Amino acid sequence: MQLVVARIGRAHGIKGEVTVEVRTDEPELRLAPGAVLATEPAGTGPLTIETGRVHSGRLLLRFEGVRDRTAAEALRNTLLIAEVDPAELPEDPEEFYDHQLMDLDVVLADGTEIGRITEITHLPSQDLFIVERPDGSEVMIPFVEEIVTEIDLDEQRAVIDPPPGLIDADQAVIASARDEAGDDGASSEESSLGEDR
């Protein structure tokens, strides 16, 4: 099975290094020197990682045969793809690969069906499940432990405990100003999605 593990960013310096947007929880395994990665577009690769280092919080890679800034810049926006055994699991039992979560049924604790995971979006602050409802509409579920209480791969389901309004907008709770006299009657909305997993 192929998984996207990174996207190449801009060239760094003049010796062929590139910045990399990491898309794996295991960069030390997937993006190590010697790793051979397929690419999208396919004609750019395969690429073999020659060196890797962290500079100012960003991962920098150099690939075999890429020796100057021009060659490095030509790789910009290329996706790096690793071949992964479908049976392989992350080391941390609380982590999952995207392919393990795709198509899981999403249900409430009482078994009420919410829908099916059709996409996983990786944001800087958290991951989101895009869930297709039985009526064809979509809802976004933050993948945080306060909301996604259980992932059961054997039963192929994700159990959620959503706050009011996450699944059905008509159940949203709006916090309004407590003291209308001293606050010009303004109201405010607050939302808290919890911490990252």
Side-chain angles (χ1 to χ4, degrees):
M1 168 172 286
Q2 293 189 319
L3 297 177
V4 174
V5 293
R7 183 180 67 83
I8 297 175
R10 64 181 62 181
H12 179 82
I14 60 171
K15 296 183 180 178
E17 283 186 313
V18 294
T19 60
V20 176
E21 174 191 314
V22 177
R23 296 189 181 178
T24 175
D25 290 334
E26 302 171 313
E28 67 287 345
L29 174 66
R30 307 284 179 216
L31 301 172
V36 179
L37 301 168
T39 60
E40 179 62 44
T44 306
L47 294 172
T48 301
I49 297 175
E50 186 174 278
T51 63
R53 67 186 178 102
V54 176
H55 175 73
S56 298
R58 298 220 45 155
L59 179 61
L60 302 179
L61 297 179
R62 181 182 296 128
F63 300 100
E64 289 181 7
V66 178
R67 292 284 170 248
D68 59 32
R69 186 176 184 86
T70 302
E73 194 60 43
L75 297 175
R76 192 170 188 172
N77 292 322
T78 298
L79 296 178
L80 299 176
I81 302 167
E83 191 67 39
V84 177
D85 181 343
E88 182 181 328
L89 299 174
E91 290 181 12
D92 185 340
E94 295 297 313
E95 292 182 357
F96 303 91
Y97 292 132
D98 286 5
H99 71 271
Q100 296 174 294
L101 301 171
M102 290 295 291
D103 293 322
L104 290 186
D105 292 324
V106 178
V107 298
L108 299 178
D110 66 4
T112 303
E113 179 186 359
I114 300 301
R116 179 179 58 86
I117 298 173
T118 57
E119 186 180 338
I120 299 161
T121 301
H122 301 281
L123 302 176
S125 60
Q126 67 191 13
D127 296 335
L128 289 175
F129 292 159
I130 309 301
V131 177
E132 183 177 312
R133 308 286 305 265
D135 66 5
S137 65
E138 290 184 335
V139 62
M140 292 183 286
I141 308 289
F143 187 22
V144 294
E145 61 186 329
E146 292 84 358
I147 296 173
V148 181
T149 59
E150 179 186 359
I151 298 289
D152 187 336
L153 296 179
D154 293 332
E155 294 292 324
Q156 286 290 290
R157 66 181 191 161
V159 179
I160 64 170
D161 182 16
L166 183 64
I167 302 300
D168 296 307
D170 60 340
Q171 295 178 0
V173 176
I174 298 175
S176 49
R178 289 183 210 146
D179 181 7
E180 295 197 5
D183 205 15
D184 295 337
S187 65
S188 64
E189 246 179 271
E190 296 179 0
S191 66
S192 174
L193 300 179
E195 297 177 4
D196 283 348
R197 285 181 63 109

